[in-house]
Amino acid sequence: MKNILLNLNYYQWYIIYILFIINKIIEFPIILITHNLYTIIYIYITKKKKIRNIILLNIIPLIGLLIKKIIKNYFFIERPYNNIINNNNIINKIPLWLIKYWNEKKDSSFPSGHSIYSSFWILLFWKYKKKIYIKINIIILIIIMISRIILYVHRIQDILFSILITFIVKKIFKI
C-alpha cells in the first residue's frame, strides 16, 4: 500500500485532497453545523417532532463517541500512517497538508469516530433513501468512511468495528 503513495500523480493527490476536505464536515467546529443540518433533515423526512427524538438524535452520537474514546484509551493501536512517517523514501512524496493532518492525529486508530458518526446517520437515513438529498448524504457519509482508509488514518477493521458500535447503540435506544 505504501508503494501506491510513491506513484500518485497530481490529479490523484487532488482527489485525495477533496476526500480530505469532505472529512472536515464531521470535524470540530464544522460538525456542529453538520449535526444540526442532519437533525433538521431527519425530523423533516420522518415528521417525528417529539422532544424525545430530538434528544436521542443528539445523545446517541455522543454515546457512540464516548464508547469510542473509552476503547481508544484501552486499546491503543497505532495509525496506519506511522509506518510511512518513519520511511524517508515515502514521506518526501507526501503533501504537506496530509503530513500536518497526520501529526494532529496522535491518538489510537481503533475505532474510527468519523465512521461511528457517519454510520449513525446512514442507519437513520437508509429507510428514506428514495429521496435524492438523502441519497446524496448517504453517499457523502460512505465516502467519508472509505476515505479514512485512503488517508491512512484508519484500517478496514477500525471502520467495521465503528459501524458495529453504532448499530448496537442504535438498537439499545430503539431509534
Side-chain angles (χ1 to χ4, degrees), residues 53-67:
N53 292 325
I54 295 168
I55 291 170
L56 285 176
L57 288 174
N58 289 291
I59 289 177
I60 292 175
L62 291 176
I63 291 171
L65 294 173
L66 178 65
I67 291 169

PDB file of all heavy atoms in Angstrom, residues 53-67:
ATOM      1  N   ASN A  53     -37.272  12.302  20.413  1.00  0.00           N
ATOM      2  CA  ASN A  53     -36.500  12.003  19.208  1.00  0.00           C
ATOM      3  C   ASN A  53     -35.360  12.999  19.005  1.00  0.00           C
ATOM      4  O   ASN A  53     -34.256  12.624  18.625  1.00  0.00           O
ATOM      5  CB  ASN A  53     -37.401  11.969  17.980  1.00  0.00           C
ATOM      6  CG  ASN A  53     -38.353  10.808  18.013  1.00  0.00           C
ATOM      7  OD1 ASN A  53     -38.011   9.737  18.498  1.00  0.00           O
ATOM      8  ND2 ASN A  53     -39.557  11.006  17.522  1.00  0.00           N
ATOM      9  N   ILE A  54     -35.648  14.262  19.256  1.00  0.00           N
ATOM     10  CA  ILE A  54     -34.622  15.287  19.087  1.00  0.00           C
ATOM     11  C   ILE A  54     -33.490  15.067  20.095  1.00  0.00           C
ATOM     12  O   ILE A  54     -32.317  15.157  19.749  1.00  0.00           O
ATOM     13  CB  ILE A  54     -35.241  16.692  19.216  1.00  0.00           C
ATOM     14  CG1 ILE A  54     -36.231  16.917  18.066  1.00  0.00           C
ATOM     15  CG2 ILE A  54     -34.164  17.772  19.230  1.00  0.00           C
ATOM     16  CD1 ILE A  54     -37.113  18.131  18.215  1.00  0.00           C
ATOM     17  N   ILE A  55     -33.858  14.730  21.322  1.00  0.00           N
ATOM     18  CA  ILE A  55     -32.846  14.461  22.344  1.00  0.00           C
ATOM     19  C   ILE A  55     -32.013  13.240  21.953  1.00  0.00           C
ATOM     20  O   ILE A  55     -30.784  13.259  22.033  1.00  0.00           O
ATOM     21  CB  ILE A  55     -33.501  14.281  23.734  1.00  0.00           C
ATOM     22  CG1 ILE A  55     -34.067  15.620  24.210  1.00  0.00           C
ATOM     23  CG2 ILE A  55     -32.517  13.700  24.743  1.00  0.00           C
ATOM     24  CD1 ILE A  55     -34.943  15.539  25.442  1.00  0.00           C
ATOM     25  N   LEU A  56     -32.667  12.162  21.504  1.00  0.00           N
ATOM     26  CA  LEU A  56     -31.941  10.949  21.109  1.00  0.00           C
ATOM     27  C   LEU A  56     -31.010  11.208  19.921  1.00  0.00           C
ATOM     28  O   LEU A  56     -29.914  10.653  19.867  1.00  0.00           O
ATOM     29  CB  LEU A  56     -32.914   9.820  20.786  1.00  0.00           C
ATOM     30  CG  LEU A  56     -33.579   9.161  21.986  1.00  0.00           C
ATOM     31  CD1 LEU A  56     -34.595   8.115  21.538  1.00  0.00           C
ATOM     32  CD2 LEU A  56     -32.551   8.552  22.920  1.00  0.00           C
ATOM     33  N   LEU A  57     -31.442  12.043  18.989  1.00  0.00           N
ATOM     34  CA  LEU A  57     -30.594  12.363  17.837  1.00  0.00           C
ATOM     35  C   LEU A  57     -29.314  13.075  18.264  1.00  0.00           C
ATOM     36  O   LEU A  57     -28.321  13.059  17.545  1.00  0.00           O
ATOM     37  CB  LEU A  57     -31.347  13.234  16.829  1.00  0.00           C
ATOM     38  CG  LEU A  57     -32.445  12.547  16.033  1.00  0.00           C
ATOM     39  CD1 LEU A  57     -33.207  13.557  15.195  1.00  0.00           C
ATOM     40  CD2 LEU A  57     -31.877  11.446  15.155  1.00  0.00           C
ATOM     41  N   ASN A  58     -29.345  13.701  19.418  1.00  0.00           N
ATOM     42  CA  ASN A  58     -28.161  14.379  19.927  1.00  0.00           C
ATOM     43  C   ASN A  58     -27.372  13.531  20.921  1.00  0.00           C
ATOM     44  O   ASN A  58     -26.161  13.646  20.995  1.00  0.00           O
ATOM     45  CB  ASN A  58     -28.551  15.714  20.576  1.00  0.00           C
ATOM     46  CG  ASN A  58     -28.969  16.711  19.528  1.00  0.00           C
ATOM     47  OD1 ASN A  58     -28.152  17.169  18.752  1.00  0.00           O
ATOM     48  ND2 ASN A  58     -30.249  17.022  19.475  1.00  0.00           N
ATOM     49  N   ILE A  59     -28.060  12.655  21.637  1.00  0.00           N
ATOM     50  CA  ILE A  59     -27.385  11.847  22.660  1.00  0.00           C
ATOM     51  C   ILE A  59     -26.703  10.614  22.064  1.00  0.00           C
ATOM     52  O   ILE A  59     -25.575  10.286  22.440  1.00  0.00           O
ATOM     53  CB  ILE A  59     -28.376  11.433  23.773  1.00  0.00           C
ATOM     54  CG1 ILE A  59     -28.730  12.666  24.595  1.00  0.00           C
ATOM     55  CG2 ILE A  59     -27.795  10.345  24.653  1.00  0.00           C
ATOM     56  CD1 ILE A  59     -29.750  12.412  25.677  1.00  0.00           C
ATOM     57  N   ILE A  60     -27.351   9.931  21.129  1.00  0.00           N
ATOM     58  CA  ILE A  60     -26.804   8.677  20.601  1.00  0.00           C
ATOM     59  C   ILE A  60     -25.427   8.861  19.957  1.00  0.00           C
ATOM     60  O   ILE A  60     -24.512   8.094  20.251  1.00  0.00           O
ATOM     61  CB  ILE A  60     -27.803   7.978  19.656  1.00  0.00           C
ATOM     62  CG1 ILE A  60     -28.990   7.485  20.484  1.00  0.00           C
ATOM     63  CG2 ILE A  60     -27.149   6.815  18.926  1.00  0.00           C
ATOM     64  CD1 ILE A  60     -30.104   6.881  19.675  1.00  0.00           C
ATOM     65  N   PRO A  61     -25.233   9.868  19.099  1.00  0.00           N
ATOM     66  CA  PRO A  61     -23.871  10.034  18.565  1.00  0.00           C
ATOM     67  C   PRO A  61     -22.850  10.318  19.673  1.00  0.00           C
ATOM     68  O   PRO A  61     -21.719   9.831  19.610  1.00  0.00           O
ATOM     69  CB  PRO A  61     -23.987  11.227  17.622  1.00  0.00           C
ATOM     70  CG  PRO A  61     -25.417  11.332  17.281  1.00  0.00           C
ATOM     71  CD  PRO A  61     -26.159  10.811  18.473  1.00  0.00           C
ATOM     72  N   LEU A  62     -23.258  11.049  20.687  1.00  0.00           N
ATOM     73  CA  LEU A  62     -22.337  11.334  21.802  1.00  0.00           C
ATOM     74  C   LEU A  62     -21.984  10.071  22.571  1.00  0.00           C
ATOM     75  O   LEU A  62     -20.833   9.872  22.974  1.00  0.00           O
ATOM     76  CB  LEU A  62     -22.942  12.376  22.741  1.00  0.00           C
ATOM     77  CG  LEU A  62     -23.061  13.786  22.173  1.00  0.00           C
ATOM     78  CD1 LEU A  62     -23.771  14.701  23.158  1.00  0.00           C
ATOM     79  CD2 LEU A  62     -21.707  14.338  21.783  1.00  0.00           C
ATOM     80  N   ILE A  63     -22.969   9.186  22.763  1.00  0.00           N
ATOM     81  CA  ILE A  63     -22.708   7.914  23.441  1.00  0.00           C
ATOM     82  C   ILE A  63     -21.744   7.065  22.615  1.00  0.00           C
ATOM     83  O   ILE A  63     -20.796   6.487  23.140  1.00  0.00           O
ATOM     84  CB  ILE A  63     -24.021   7.161  23.736  1.00  0.00           C
ATOM     85  CG1 ILE A  63     -24.806   7.916  24.812  1.00  0.00           C
ATOM     86  CG2 ILE A  63     -23.753   5.714  24.169  1.00  0.00           C
ATOM     87  CD1 ILE A  63     -26.206   7.403  25.027  1.00  0.00           C
ATOM     88  N   GLY A  64     -21.997   7.013  21.306  1.00  0.00           N
ATOM     89  CA  GLY A  64     -21.093   6.278  20.415  1.00  0.00           C
ATOM     90  C   GLY A  64     -19.678   6.828  20.480  1.00  0.00           C
ATOM     91  O   GLY A  64     -18.698   6.073  20.539  1.00  0.00           O
ATOM     92  N   LEU A  65     -19.550   8.157  20.513  1.00  0.00           N
ATOM     93  CA  LEU A  65     -18.226   8.774  20.568  1.00  0.00           C
ATOM     94  C   LEU A  65     -17.576   8.597  21.945  1.00  0.00           C
ATOM     95  O   LEU A  65     -16.357   8.481  22.043  1.00  0.00           O
ATOM     96  CB  LEU A  65     -18.311  10.249  20.174  1.00  0.00           C
ATOM     97  CG  LEU A  65     -18.721  10.468  18.705  1.00  0.00           C
ATOM     98  CD1 LEU A  65     -18.944  11.947  18.425  1.00  0.00           C
ATOM     99  CD2 LEU A  65     -17.707   9.875  17.739  1.00  0.00           C
ATOM    100  N   LEU A  66     -18.388   8.522  22.994  1.00  0.00           N
ATOM    101  CA  LEU A  66     -17.853   8.241  24.327  1.00  0.00           C
ATOM    102  C   LEU A  66     -17.316   6.805  24.382  1.00  0.00           C
ATOM    103  O   LEU A  66     -16.218   6.566  24.911  1.00  0.00           O
ATOM    104  CB  LEU A  66     -18.940   8.447  25.387  1.00  0.00           C
ATOM    105  CG  LEU A  66     -18.528   8.137  26.819  1.00  0.00           C
ATOM    106  CD1 LEU A  66     -17.444   9.094  27.289  1.00  0.00           C
ATOM    107  CD2 LEU A  66     -19.730   8.203  27.751  1.00  0.00           C
ATOM    108  N   ILE A  67     -18.063   5.873  23.818  1.00  0.00           N
ATOM    109  CA  ILE A  67     -17.602   4.477  23.745  1.00  0.00           C
ATOM    110  C   ILE A  67     -16.295   4.416  22.946  1.00  0.00           C
ATOM    111  O   ILE A  67     -15.354   3.720  23.328  1.00  0.00           O
ATOM    112  CB  ILE A  67     -18.686   3.572  23.127  1.00  0.00           C
ATOM    113  CG1 ILE A  67     -19.871   3.455  24.087  1.00  0.00           C
ATOM    114  CG2 ILE A  67     -18.130   2.195  22.779  1.00  0.00           C
ATOM    115  CD1 ILE A  67     -21.108   2.816  23.479  1.00  0.00           C
TER     116      ILE A  67
END
